[in-house]
Amino acid sequence: MRLTLTVLALTLIPLAVQADEIAPEACEITAGIVAEAQALRVDGDTERRATRKLNRAHAELGASYTEQVIPLLTNYVYMQPEAALDQDLAAFWKQTCLTTDLSSVLPGD
């Protein structure tokens, strides 16, 4: 699971990079989206419906979120086994987001 989140974090890098690291605010926002996606899945929404709902709810974040980030985070939640849905996926995401060293994969300024 950690590898999947790390890959997801590296995919999202260009969207939130500031001085070669993800801004803590971006980690907070994306963790909230993961929590919302998890709640929608538990409530029985399909992945597609959850993505549409989250895009509408977070439209103010802009096209990079609605076209890339939200679909990726929603997909991450929906690819988890049913047994993982009682875990705090948002907290795990946030911790991974905040602690991933991105300097080895990003060019310097």
Side-chain angles (χ1 to χ4, degrees):
M1 189 156 121
R2 190 169 225 3
L3 177 61
T4 302
L5 283 175
T6 302
V7 170
L8 185 59
L10 295 176
T11 303
L12 300 176
I13 290 168
L15 304 174
V17 173
Q18 290 185 358
D20 290 343
E21 63 185 46
I22 292 180
E25 297 80 19
C27 294
E28 186 71 35
I29 290 167
T30 55
I33 293 168
V34 167
E36 291 174 57
Q38 185 173 356
L40 290 169
R41 180 174 174 194
V42 169
D43 288 345
D45 282 336
T46 65
E47 181 177 349
R48 185 174 180 191
R49 185 176 174 102
T51 301
R52 283 196 316 261
K53 285 181 177 182
L54 291 168
N55 279 343
R56 282 194 304 272
H58 298 285
E60 78 283 355
L61 296 175
S64 63
Y65 273 82
T66 59
E67 294 173 10
Q68 296 174 4
V69 176
I70 291 172
L72 285 170
L73 293 172
T74 304
N75 180 260
Y76 164 72
V77 169
Y78 278 78
M79 66 185 245
Q80 298 304 312
E82 187 94 16
L85 296 180
D86 64 349
Q87 298 175 22
D88 190 346
L89 298 177
F92 186 80
W93 162 253
K94 184 175 178 181
Q95 182 64 26
T96 300
C97 181
L98 291 171
T99 60
T100 302
D101 178 10
L102 304 176
S103 62
S104 64
V105 295
L106 296 174
D109 285 337

XYZ file of all heavy atoms in Angstrom:
829
model
N 0.829 -1.185 0.000
C 0.000 0.000 0.000
C 0.879 1.257 0.000
O 0.577 2.212 -0.658
C -0.928 -0.020 1.206
C -1.959 1.069 1.151
S -3.403 0.649 2.130
C -3.420 1.989 3.262
N 1.973 1.244 0.748
C 2.854 2.407 0.807
C 3.433 2.706 -0.567
O 3.538 3.856 -0.957
C 3.968 2.186 1.813
C 4.753 3.468 2.079
C 5.647 3.298 3.237
N 5.803 4.225 4.272
C 5.242 5.359 4.536
N 4.309 5.803 3.796
N 5.558 6.099 5.557
N 3.806 1.660 -1.318
C 4.348 1.854 -2.657
C 3.323 2.514 -3.561
O 3.641 3.442 -4.307
C 4.805 0.520 -3.247
C 5.328 0.597 -4.679
C 6.543 1.502 -4.753
C 5.664 -0.780 -5.192
N 2.075 2.090 -3.472
C 1.024 2.684 -4.290
C 0.876 4.168 -3.981
O 0.761 4.992 -4.881
C -0.320 1.972 -4.045
O -0.151 0.592 -4.342
C -1.416 2.553 -4.895
N 0.896 4.521 -2.705
C 0.774 5.929 -2.336
C 1.986 6.736 -2.767
O 1.852 7.881 -3.192
C 0.561 6.060 -0.831
C -0.851 5.730 -0.377
C -0.933 5.765 1.138
C -1.858 6.665 -0.978
N 3.154 6.150 -2.683
C 4.362 6.848 -3.117
C 4.301 7.125 -4.611
O 4.614 8.226 -5.062
C 5.620 6.043 -2.760
O 5.635 5.836 -1.346
C 6.873 6.765 -3.184
N 3.879 6.133 -5.381
C 3.733 6.322 -6.822
C 2.703 7.413 -7.095
O 2.911 8.283 -7.935
C 3.341 5.004 -7.517
C 2.940 5.234 -8.959
C 4.488 4.017 -7.429
N 1.609 7.395 -6.358
C 0.582 8.423 -6.520
C 1.143 9.797 -6.171
O 0.913 10.765 -6.892
C -0.626 8.100 -5.642
C -1.830 9.008 -5.770
C -2.361 9.021 -7.207
C -2.919 8.558 -4.824
N 1.908 9.880 -5.099
C 2.511 11.156 -4.710
C 3.430 11.678 -5.799
O 3.419 12.862 -6.131
C 3.280 11.004 -3.403
N 4.229 10.793 -6.383
C 5.145 11.207 -7.437
C 4.391 11.641 -8.687
O 4.849 12.505 -9.427
C 6.126 10.085 -7.754
C 7.068 9.728 -6.617
C 7.936 8.531 -6.996
C 7.908 10.902 -6.203
N 3.224 11.073 -8.918
C 2.388 11.479 -10.047
C 1.841 12.882 -9.830
O 1.683 13.651 -10.774
C 1.219 10.490 -10.217
O 1.755 9.183 -10.377
C 0.354 10.843 -11.400
N 1.570 13.230 -8.582
C 0.966 14.521 -8.261
C 1.991 15.633 -8.061
O 1.624 16.793 -7.942
C 0.127 14.394 -6.981
C -1.016 13.390 -7.041
C -1.692 13.297 -5.682
C -2.016 13.758 -8.107
N 3.266 15.301 -8.064
C 4.320 16.277 -7.788
C 4.187 17.565 -8.584
O 4.218 18.640 -8.001
C 5.710 15.668 -8.018
C 6.006 14.640 -6.955
C 6.792 16.731 -8.023
C 7.213 13.790 -7.267
N 4.049 17.509 -9.903
C 4.035 18.760 -10.653
C 2.901 19.694 -10.249
O 2.969 20.883 -10.489
C 3.845 18.305 -12.106
C 4.262 16.890 -12.134
C 3.968 16.348 -10.772
N 1.886 19.175 -9.608
C 0.729 19.987 -9.258
C 0.923 20.779 -7.982
O 0.218 21.739 -7.737
C -0.504 19.085 -9.115
C -0.806 18.240 -10.345
C -1.952 17.293 -10.045
C -1.124 19.123 -11.519
N 1.867 20.367 -7.154
C 1.981 21.009 -5.858
C 3.419 21.308 -5.451
O 3.707 21.482 -4.289
C 1.329 20.117 -4.800
N 4.317 21.369 -6.384
C 5.721 21.559 -6.062
C 6.008 23.015 -5.723
O 5.622 23.909 -6.446
C 6.616 21.132 -7.239
C 8.066 21.500 -6.970
C 6.474 19.655 -7.479
N 6.670 23.190 -4.603
C 7.176 24.499 -4.214
C 8.550 24.250 -3.610
O 8.662 23.594 -2.583
C 6.276 25.156 -3.171
C 4.942 25.591 -3.734
C 4.131 26.334 -2.693
O 4.534 26.501 -1.557
N 2.967 26.777 -3.100
N 9.571 24.744 -4.258
C 10.948 24.580 -3.786
C 11.275 23.109 -3.562
O 11.796 22.711 -2.527
C 11.168 25.387 -2.519
N 10.961 22.275 -4.542
C 11.278 20.855 -4.536
C 10.563 20.044 -3.456
O 11.028 18.976 -3.075
C 12.770 20.617 -4.448
C 13.482 21.005 -5.722
O 12.838 21.150 -6.767
O 14.691 21.153 -5.661
N 9.462 20.507 -2.958
C 8.698 19.702 -2.011
C 7.220 20.018 -2.143
O 6.836 21.070 -2.617
C 9.170 19.919 -0.584
C 8.990 21.332 -0.091
C 9.573 21.541 1.297
O 10.689 21.095 1.539
O 8.887 22.158 2.118
N 6.389 19.064 -1.740
C 4.952 19.281 -1.778
C 4.580 20.183 -0.608
O 5.007 19.945 0.525
C 4.191 17.949 -1.700
C 4.433 17.144 -2.969
C 2.710 18.172 -1.492
C 3.736 15.821 -3.010
N 3.825 21.206 -0.886
C 3.390 22.122 0.156
C 2.490 21.379 1.140
O 1.640 20.592 0.732
C 2.639 23.296 -0.461
N 2.665 21.609 2.442
C 1.810 20.944 3.431
C 0.315 21.179 3.176
O -0.499 20.305 3.441
C 2.246 21.567 4.755
C 3.649 22.011 4.514
C 3.692 22.430 3.069
N -0.020 22.339 2.625
C -1.416 22.630 2.334
C -1.963 21.660 1.285
O -3.117 21.232 1.363
C -1.596 24.073 1.837
C -1.223 25.129 2.850
C 0.290 25.392 2.937
O 1.045 25.049 1.991
O 0.717 25.920 3.966
N -1.141 21.308 0.300
C -1.566 20.358 -0.721
C -1.789 18.984 -0.110
O -2.724 18.270 -0.487
C -0.545 20.288 -1.849
N -0.962 18.605 0.843
C -1.144 17.321 1.524
C -2.445 17.317 2.323
O -3.158 16.312 2.345
C 0.047 17.031 2.440
S 1.606 16.768 1.556
N -2.739 18.412 2.951
C -3.982 18.529 3.727
C -5.202 18.446 2.809
O -6.165 17.728 3.090
C -3.984 19.855 4.491
C -5.145 20.015 5.438
C -5.040 19.110 6.649
O -3.927 18.859 7.135
O -6.095 18.638 7.109
N -5.152 19.174 1.718
C -6.270 19.171 0.764
C -6.475 17.778 0.179
O -7.604 17.270 0.141
C -6.029 20.198 -0.361
C -6.135 21.623 0.197
C -7.017 19.996 -1.516
C -5.615 22.700 -0.742
N -5.406 17.147 -0.259
C -5.538 15.835 -0.887
C -5.965 14.774 0.123
O -6.716 13.862 -0.215
C -4.253 15.417 -1.630
O -3.136 15.478 -0.741
C -4.015 16.301 -2.842
N -5.526 14.893 1.358
C -5.972 13.953 2.397
C -7.473 14.096 2.626
O -8.192 13.095 2.800
C -5.214 14.186 3.700
N -7.973 15.329 2.589
C -9.412 15.540 2.719
C -10.188 14.908 1.575
O -11.261 14.321 1.777
N -9.634 14.999 0.377
C -10.273 14.388 -0.790
C -10.290 12.870 -0.658
O -11.294 12.220 -0.970
C -9.589 14.855 -2.091
C -9.847 16.355 -2.304
C -10.082 14.043 -3.292
C -8.995 16.994 -3.391
N -9.199 12.293 -0.166
C -9.158 10.851 0.057
C -10.243 10.442 1.066
O -10.963 9.462 0.854
C -7.753 10.389 0.534
C -7.787 8.963 1.058
C -6.747 10.517 -0.589
N -10.374 11.206 2.137
C -11.396 10.901 3.150
C -12.799 10.966 2.550
O -13.640 10.098 2.819
C -11.279 11.863 4.327
N -13.041 11.976 1.735
C -14.355 12.107 1.100
C -14.619 10.959 0.133
O -15.724 10.414 0.092
C -14.453 13.449 0.369
C -14.496 14.642 1.305
C -14.456 15.952 0.529
O -15.338 16.159 -0.324
O -13.536 16.748 0.776
N -13.607 10.595 -0.645
C -13.755 9.479 -1.592
C -14.034 8.179 -0.841
O -14.871 7.372 -1.261
C -12.503 9.343 -2.460
N -13.355 7.992 0.271
C -13.573 6.787 1.071
C -15.003 6.752 1.606
O -15.670 5.709 1.553
C -12.560 6.731 2.214
C -12.629 5.469 3.032
C -11.503 5.374 4.054
O -10.611 6.226 4.118
N -11.521 4.335 4.850
N -15.490 7.875 2.089
C -16.863 7.935 2.593
C -17.879 7.659 1.478
O -18.874 6.947 1.692
C -17.132 9.300 3.227
N -17.625 8.197 0.301
C -18.525 7.951 -0.832
C -18.527 6.474 -1.220
O -19.581 5.911 -1.528
C -18.128 8.826 -2.025
C -18.399 10.323 -1.850
C -17.719 11.124 -2.953
C -19.890 10.601 -1.815
N -17.360 5.854 -1.190
C -17.309 4.418 -1.512
C -18.071 3.606 -0.466
O -18.833 2.702 -0.811
C -15.864 3.938 -1.599
C -15.816 2.454 -1.935
C -14.439 1.946 -2.174
N -14.498 0.499 -2.338
C -13.451 -0.280 -2.296
N -12.243 0.235 -2.129
N -13.583 -1.591 -2.430
N -17.857 3.913 0.798
C -18.559 3.201 1.874
C -20.075 3.374 1.733
O -20.842 2.438 1.977
C -18.056 3.675 3.259
C -18.946 3.163 4.375
C -16.608 3.230 3.478
N -20.494 4.546 1.276
C -21.924 4.818 1.080
C -22.490 4.153 -0.170
O -23.687 4.232 -0.421
C -22.182 6.325 1.012
C -22.029 7.005 2.368
O -22.007 6.290 3.400
O -21.933 8.242 2.395
N -21.628 3.549 -0.984
C -22.103 2.799 -2.136
C -21.988 3.492 -3.481
O -22.444 2.953 -4.494
N -21.404 4.685 -3.524
C -21.229 5.358 -4.810
C -20.203 4.619 -5.665
O -19.242 4.058 -5.149
C -20.750 6.802 -4.619
C -21.857 7.751 -4.221
O -23.029 7.464 -4.504
O -21.538 8.777 -3.614
N -20.412 4.640 -6.969
C -19.413 4.086 -7.883
C -18.233 5.054 -7.954
O -18.348 6.229 -7.577
C -19.990 3.911 -9.301
O -20.306 5.212 -9.828
C -21.219 3.008 -9.308
N -17.125 4.571 -8.484
C -15.948 5.427 -8.621
C -16.248 6.627 -9.514
O -15.866 7.764 -9.203
C -14.785 4.623 -9.197
C -13.513 5.421 -9.348
C -12.338 4.610 -9.860
O -12.430 3.368 -9.913
O -11.317 5.226 -10.210
N -16.935 6.385 -10.591
C -17.256 7.471 -11.525
C -18.143 8.533 -10.874
O -17.897 9.733 -11.005
C -17.946 6.881 -12.750
C -18.213 7.874 -13.830
C -18.754 7.191 -15.054
N -19.006 8.180 -16.083
C -19.665 7.939 -17.170
N -20.144 6.740 -17.417
N -19.853 8.890 -18.055
N -19.151 8.074 -10.153
C -20.052 9.016 -9.479
C -19.301 9.794 -8.384
O -19.486 11.002 -8.235
C -21.243 8.261 -8.902
C -22.271 9.165 -8.287
C -23.482 8.341 -7.813
N -24.402 9.183 -7.111
C -25.519 9.657 -7.624
N -25.861 9.332 -8.848
N -26.309 10.439 -6.914
N -18.461 9.100 -7.640
C -17.678 9.764 -6.591
C -16.769 10.835 -7.191
O -16.665 11.940 -6.651
C -16.861 8.734 -5.819
N -16.138 10.513 -8.302
C -15.261 11.481 -8.962
C -16.044 12.715 -9.382
O -15.589 13.850 -9.167
C -14.556 10.843 -10.177
O -13.786 9.723 -9.726
C -13.648 11.836 -10.880
N -17.215 12.507 -9.952
C -18.043 13.650 -10.365
C -18.440 14.499 -9.156
O -18.362 15.734 -9.206
C -19.290 13.167 -11.108
C -19.019 12.736 -12.533
C -20.288 12.627 -13.373
N -21.395 11.984 -12.707
C -21.761 10.715 -12.857
N -21.085 9.919 -13.667
N -22.802 10.223 -12.217
N -18.858 13.859 -8.081
C -19.248 14.596 -6.872
C -18.066 15.391 -6.309
O -18.214 16.563 -5.929
C -19.776 13.633 -5.807
C -21.160 13.113 -6.073
C -21.606 12.191 -4.942
C -23.026 11.708 -5.132
N -23.465 10.859 -4.005
N -16.909 14.758 -6.247
C -15.725 15.432 -5.710
C -15.272 16.570 -6.618
O -14.855 17.629 -6.131
C -14.602 14.425 -5.490
C -14.855 13.421 -4.365
C -13.833 12.293 -4.406
C -14.862 14.110 -3.017
N -15.366 16.379 -7.914
C -15.015 17.464 -8.841
C -15.920 18.671 -8.634
O -15.447 19.815 -8.643
C -15.087 16.983 -10.292
C -13.849 16.230 -10.719
O -12.809 16.313 -10.077
N -13.962 15.486 -11.799
N -17.206 18.424 -8.462
C -18.135 19.542 -8.217
C -17.835 20.213 -6.873
O -17.833 21.442 -6.772
C -19.583 19.057 -8.249
C -20.121 18.848 -9.653
C -21.641 18.707 -9.680
N -22.142 17.643 -8.817
C -22.299 16.361 -9.174
N -21.989 15.986 -10.401
N -22.767 15.473 -8.326
N -17.568 19.407 -5.869
C -17.320 19.947 -4.531
C -16.018 20.744 -4.448
O -15.896 21.649 -3.622
C -17.303 18.814 -3.508
N -15.077 20.406 -5.305
C -13.752 21.053 -5.240
C -13.392 21.799 -6.520
O -12.210 21.989 -6.818
C -12.688 20.002 -4.916
C -12.892 19.350 -3.588
N -12.618 19.973 -2.401
C -13.395 18.122 -3.273
C -12.918 19.165 -1.399
N -13.400 18.039 -1.904
N -14.372 22.237 -7.245
C -14.139 22.939 -8.513
C -13.240 24.166 -8.331
O -12.475 24.516 -9.230
C -15.468 23.339 -9.149
N -13.291 24.778 -7.165
C -12.495 25.982 -6.924
C -10.996 25.702 -6.917
O -10.190 26.622 -7.028
C -12.909 26.643 -5.596
C -12.365 25.989 -4.338
C -13.084 24.697 -3.918
O -14.084 24.320 -4.534
O -12.615 24.060 -2.961
N -10.606 24.431 -6.817
C -9.186 24.078 -6.822
C -8.570 24.135 -8.218
O -7.356 24.124 -8.358
C -8.973 22.687 -6.217
C -9.336 22.550 -4.746
C -9.208 21.103 -4.302
C -8.467 23.466 -3.885
N -9.421 24.172 -9.230
C -8.931 24.329 -10.590
C -8.867 23.039 -11.377
O -9.091 21.944 -10.868
N -8.543 23.208 -12.649
C -8.553 22.104 -13.602
C -7.531 21.026 -13.266
O -7.783 19.845 -13.501
C -8.312 22.623 -15.014
N -6.379 21.382 -12.725
C -5.383 20.348 -12.422
C -5.927 19.358 -11.389
O -5.636 18.165 -11.461
C -4.074 20.957 -11.934
O -4.244 21.654 -10.729
N -6.724 19.851 -10.471
C -7.336 18.957 -9.492
C -8.495 18.174 -10.103
O -8.569 16.959 -9.944
C -7.815 19.730 -8.256
C -6.738 19.884 -7.218
C -5.783 20.890 -7.321
C -6.652 19.021 -6.145
C -4.780 21.026 -6.375
C -5.662 19.141 -5.190
C -4.723 20.145 -5.310
O -3.725 20.271 -4.372
N -9.385 18.857 -10.790
C -10.565 18.157 -11.309
C -10.240 17.192 -12.438
O -10.926 16.192 -12.607
C -11.650 19.154 -11.771
O -11.124 19.994 -12.795
C -12.165 19.987 -10.605
N -9.198 17.465 -13.189
C -8.846 16.597 -14.312
C -7.823 15.526 -13.957
O -7.784 14.485 -14.615
C -8.320 17.442 -15.477
C -9.383 18.348 -16.068
C -8.834 19.316 -17.108
O -7.662 19.162 -17.506
O -9.574 20.225 -17.507
N -6.992 15.771 -12.944
C -5.915 14.826 -12.640
C -5.924 14.329 -11.198
O -5.949 13.128 -10.956
C -4.553 15.477 -12.929
C -4.346 15.809 -14.379
C -3.048 16.574 -14.598
O -2.277 16.795 -13.680
N -2.804 16.972 -15.811
N -5.856 15.229 -10.255
C -5.665 14.847 -8.857
C -6.868 14.082 -8.306
O -6.711 12.989 -7.754
C -5.360 16.087 -7.983
C -5.249 15.695 -6.523
C -4.083 16.764 -8.465
N -8.047 14.634 -8.432
C -9.237 13.978 -7.875
C -9.477 12.609 -8.503
O -9.701 11.638 -7.767
C -10.468 14.904 -7.953
C -10.266 16.074 -6.979
C -11.763 14.139 -7.652
C -11.297 17.183 -7.079
N -9.408 12.465 -9.826
C -9.572 11.117 -10.383
C -8.514 10.123 -9.876
O -8.838 8.963 -9.609
C -9.453 11.337 -11.895
C -9.900 12.749 -12.097
C -9.382 13.482 -10.893
N -7.261 10.553 -9.721
C -6.219 9.660 -9.211
C -6.468 9.256 -7.765
O -6.333 8.082 -7.399
C -4.844 10.318 -9.329
C -4.251 10.369 -10.721
C -3.005 11.253 -10.738
C -3.910 8.977 -11.204
N -6.834 10.220 -6.930
C -7.092 9.910 -5.527
C -8.328 9.027 -5.380
O -8.345 8.105 -4.563
C -7.255 11.200 -4.716
C -5.998 12.060 -4.584
C -6.325 13.393 -3.926
C -4.903 11.330 -3.832
N -9.345 9.304 -6.167
C -10.556 8.485 -6.125
C -10.235 7.066 -6.578
O -10.660 6.092 -5.952
C -11.665 9.101 -6.994
O -11.895 10.450 -6.553
C -12.963 8.320 -6.873
N -9.459 6.948 -7.634
C -9.056 5.626 -8.113
C -8.280 4.878 -7.044
O -8.485 3.675 -6.841
C -8.236 5.758 -9.391
C -7.812 4.405 -9.904
O -6.673 3.985 -9.682
N -8.703 3.721 -10.581
N -7.395 5.569 -6.351
C -6.633 4.933 -5.272
C -7.589 4.334 -4.227
O -7.428 3.194 -3.808
C -5.677 5.931 -4.608
C -5.198 5.408 -3.286
C -4.304 4.353 -3.238
C -5.698 5.923 -2.104
C -3.899 3.828 -2.016
C -5.299 5.406 -0.894
C -4.406 4.355 -0.854
O -4.023 3.825 0.339
N -8.579 5.104 -3.821
C -9.529 4.626 -2.812
C -10.310 3.424 -3.332
O -10.481 2.427 -2.629
C -10.482 5.757 -2.370
C -11.628 5.206 -1.524
C -9.715 6.830 -1.610
N -10.757 3.496 -4.562
C -11.589 2.432 -5.122
C -10.796 1.175 -5.483
O -11.379 0.100 -5.620
C -12.402 2.948 -6.306
C -13.648 3.663 -5.838
C -13.580 4.964 -5.352
C -14.885 3.031 -5.845
C -14.706 5.618 -4.889
C -16.019 3.677 -5.394
C -15.926 4.972 -4.905
O -17.043 5.612 -4.441
N -9.479 1.271 -5.582
C -8.696 0.072 -5.873
C -8.314 -0.682 -4.604
O -7.801 -1.793 -4.674
C -7.458 0.397 -6.707
C -6.423 1.233 -6.021
S -5.096 1.670 -7.155
C -3.757 0.800 -6.376
N -8.601 -0.092 -3.442
C -8.301 -0.765 -2.183
C -9.283 -1.912 -1.944
O -10.461 -1.820 -2.313
C -8.383 0.215 -1.012
C -7.403 1.348 -1.082
C -5.973 0.866 -1.208
O -5.520 -0.014 -0.481
N -5.250 1.445 -2.157
N -8.817 -2.980 -1.306
C -9.746 -4.067 -0.981
C -10.790 -3.585 0.038
O -10.538 -2.659 0.812
C -8.847 -5.144 -0.381
C -7.585 -4.467 -0.004
C -7.462 -3.240 -0.862
N -11.911 -4.231 0.008
C -13.008 -3.873 0.923
C -12.538 -3.826 2.378
O -12.951 -2.968 3.151
C -14.139 -4.892 0.759
C -15.386 -4.555 1.506
C -16.393 -3.811 0.658
O -16.280 -3.809 -0.568
O -17.294 -3.217 1.253
N -11.660 -4.750 2.748
C -11.177 -4.825 4.133
C -10.414 -3.569 4.559
O -10.317 -3.274 5.747
C -10.289 -6.052 4.311
N -9.875 -2.815 3.620
C -9.100 -1.610 3.954
C -9.984 -0.404 4.236
O -9.506 0.613 4.716
C -8.139 -1.281 2.825
N -11.267 -0.516 3.958
C -12.145 0.641 4.098
C -12.416 1.040 5.545
O -12.919 2.130 5.795
C -13.463 0.399 3.355
C -13.313 0.258 1.845
C -14.664 0.011 1.209
C -12.633 1.471 1.243
N -12.061 0.189 6.496
C -12.216 0.575 7.897
C -10.956 1.248 8.437
O -10.898 1.654 9.584
C -12.611 -0.623 8.759
C -11.538 -1.695 8.799
O -10.578 -1.618 8.012
O -11.663 -2.615 9.627
N -9.937 1.394 7.580
C -8.709 2.074 7.961
C -8.786 3.553 7.570
O -9.577 3.932 6.715
C -7.516 1.415 7.272
C -7.338 -0.029 7.671
C -6.231 -0.692 6.887
O -5.339 -0.032 6.358
N -6.283 -2.005 6.798
N -7.950 4.362 8.174
C -7.918 5.793 7.876
C -6.984 6.038 6.694
O -5.801 6.342 6.864
C -7.469 6.567 9.109
C -7.644 8.063 8.959
O -7.872 8.540 7.821
O -7.553 8.765 9.986
N -7.522 5.880 5.494
C -6.719 6.057 4.282
C -6.222 7.492 4.152
O -5.130 7.734 3.646
C -7.527 5.659 3.052
C -7.980 4.195 2.976
C -8.832 3.969 1.735
C -6.797 3.253 3.006
N -7.005 8.451 4.616
C -6.602 9.859 4.523
C -5.381 10.151 5.390
O -4.459 10.849 4.961
C -7.761 10.769 4.911
N -5.358 9.615 6.582
C -4.207 9.827 7.469
C -2.958 9.187 6.882
O -1.867 9.769 6.930
C -4.490 9.265 8.859
N -3.120 7.999 6.320
C -1.987 7.331 5.696
C -1.482 8.140 4.507
O -0.282 8.338 4.334
C -2.377 5.914 5.258
C -1.222 5.126 4.748
C -0.339 4.521 5.618
C -0.986 5.024 3.382
C 0.747 3.803 5.150
C 0.091 4.302 2.900
C 0.966 3.696 3.788
N -2.418 8.628 3.685
C -2.035 9.460 2.543
C -1.286 10.710 3.008
O -0.232 11.056 2.486
C -3.250 9.879 1.711
C -2.903 11.046 0.853
C -3.283 12.331 1.009
C -2.030 11.029 -0.285
N -2.705 13.125 0.050
C -1.931 12.345 -0.751
C -1.318 10.023 -0.937
C -1.155 12.687 -1.851
C -0.547 10.370 -2.035
C -0.474 11.690 -2.481
N -1.841 11.394 4.012
C -1.232 12.642 4.472
C 0.180 12.397 4.994
O 1.102 13.149 4.667
C -2.090 13.291 5.553
C -1.568 14.634 5.998
C -2.489 15.294 6.980
C -1.915 16.606 7.447
N -2.786 17.256 8.434
N 0.362 11.344 5.777
C 1.686 11.026 6.304
C 2.669 10.743 5.168
O 3.796 11.223 5.170
C 1.607 9.828 7.256
C 2.921 9.464 7.888
C 3.466 10.554 8.792
O 2.722 11.361 9.336
N 4.767 10.590 8.954
N 2.227 9.988 4.183
C 3.081 9.688 3.035
C 3.406 10.960 2.267
O 4.553 11.198 1.884
C 2.396 8.665 2.105
O 2.149 7.470 2.851
C 3.262 8.338 0.906
N 2.423 11.777 2.051
C 2.590 13.026 1.321
C 3.603 13.944 2.026
O 4.463 14.527 1.382
C 1.226 13.710 1.206
S 1.219 15.264 0.295
N 3.497 14.026 3.336
C 4.371 14.922 4.098
C 5.791 14.397 4.272
O 6.718 15.176 4.473
C 3.763 15.190 5.483
C 2.500 16.026 5.501
C 1.885 16.019 6.893
C 2.777 17.450 5.037
N 5.963 13.092 4.186
C 7.277 12.523 4.486
C 8.030 12.004 3.269
O 9.154 11.526 3.407
C 7.150 11.378 5.512
O 6.306 10.363 4.980
C 6.600 11.893 6.833
N 7.448 12.085 2.101
C 8.133 11.602 0.906
C 9.202 12.600 0.488
O 8.922 13.777 0.283
C 7.131 11.395 -0.244
O 6.140 10.469 0.183
C 7.807 10.880 -1.488
N 10.436 12.135 0.373
C 11.536 12.984 -0.076
C 11.486 13.060 -1.603
O 11.747 12.082 -2.285
C 12.868 12.405 0.380
C 14.049 13.218 -0.099
O 13.847 14.344 -0.635
O 15.185 12.738 0.029
N 11.160 14.213 -2.103
C 11.005 14.387 -3.536
C 12.240 14.964 -4.209
O 12.276 15.077 -5.431
C 9.801 15.301 -3.796
C 8.484 14.835 -3.183
C 7.402 15.864 -3.413
C 8.094 13.494 -3.731
N 13.253 15.280 -3.445
C 14.432 15.931 -4.028
C 15.165 15.052 -5.038
O 15.791 15.552 -5.958
C 15.399 16.358 -2.920
O 15.847 15.221 -2.206
N 15.074 13.743 -4.906
C 15.781 12.861 -5.832
C 15.074 12.729 -7.181
O 15.663 12.240 -8.140
C 15.959 11.470 -5.214
O 14.706 10.868 -5.007
N 13.842 13.163 -7.262
C 13.102 13.033 -8.516
C 12.772 14.373 -9.162
O 12.216 14.407 -10.255
C 11.788 12.226 -8.314
C 12.093 10.806 -7.919
C 10.883 12.908 -7.323
N 13.109 15.438 -8.511
C 12.811 16.767 -9.040
C 14.091 17.512 -9.394
O 15.078 17.428 -8.676
C 12.045 17.596 -7.997
C 10.682 17.081 -7.615
C 10.125 17.908 -6.472
C 9.749 17.117 -8.798
N 14.065 18.258 -10.480
C 15.222 19.082 -10.817
C 15.338 20.250 -9.848
O 14.334 20.730 -9.329
C 14.928 19.560 -12.227
C 13.437 19.505 -12.344
C 13.008 18.377 -11.457
N 16.539 20.677 -9.584
C 16.739 21.846 -8.726
C 16.349 23.127 -9.449
O 16.211 23.159 -10.660
N 16.166 24.201 -8.702
C 15.813 25.489 -9.308
C 16.976 26.087 -10.049
O 18.085 25.983 -9.765
C 15.337 26.480 -8.233
C 13.929 26.145 -7.765
O 13.184 25.490 -8.516
O 13.596 26.550 -6.638
